[in-house]
Each structure stands twice: as structure tokens, then as C-alpha cells.
Amino acid sequence: MNIEISDRARKEINEIASYIAKDSIYYAKKTVNEIYDRIISLGTGIYMGRKVPELNDDTIHELLYKNYRIIFEIKENDIKIAKVITIFHSSREFENAYKSK
């Protein structure tokens, strides 16, 4: 199985790191590493996580990491692909976070 990370998701990871680094570079690095570890875990099972409750779409799932939602799309062709679409703090309204940018 392949894992792809959108440019948007990479930018959001950098923004998360920058925000946390204002208080602690150590925790910024730790958080980013743990987010990537969570994404890499998709390699063990494309159907990890849950279907996003706000959407009626079997191909859009999410993994949770602490207070962050990692939203990804499942594509099944000859090769199964999990494409990370966006990552955002769960305190944000889903519609605003999912549709913005």
C-alpha cells in the first residue's frame, strides 16, 4: 500500500510545528514525529481509523492523534493508496478546517 501526503497536509504539519515551537522546540519536533508515525501506520491497514462522521463518504477516513484529526482518502485501484488530505486541531469546526485553504 502507498501513502501520499498532500502539499496542504505538509504545510499544516509545518504550521503545527511552528505554533508549538513558540513554547517548546522539543515538543514541536516530538509532535511532528508522532504525527508522521501515525501517518506511516496507515501502511499496516488502509482501513485504520474511522469514517469521518461529518461526511457520508466511505472513502474519507480519519486517524486521531491527541487533539489532531488526520483526514485521508482511500483510493483502491491496482494499488491501494491512502492520501492524507488535511490535518487540523479538533477544536476547529470541521467545515471550516476541511474546506479552507
Side-chain angles (χ1 to χ4, degrees), residues 33-74:
N33 287 336
E34 290 175 355
I35 287 173
Y36 277 115
D37 286 346
R38 197 77 173 111
I39 291 169
I40 290 167
S41 74
L42 287 170
T44 62
I46 196 167
Y47 292 101
M48 288 182 65
R50 65 179 184 175
K51 189 169 94 169
V52 173
E54 293 90 348
L55 301 174
N56 187 23
D57 188 335
D58 291 333
T59 65
I60 308 294
H61 285 227
E62 70 180 343
L63 292 175
L64 303 177
Y65 167 72
K66 294 189 178 182
N67 291 321
Y68 294 97
R69 296 176 72 178
I70 302 167
I71 311 293
F72 63 98
E73 179 180 14
I74 299 169

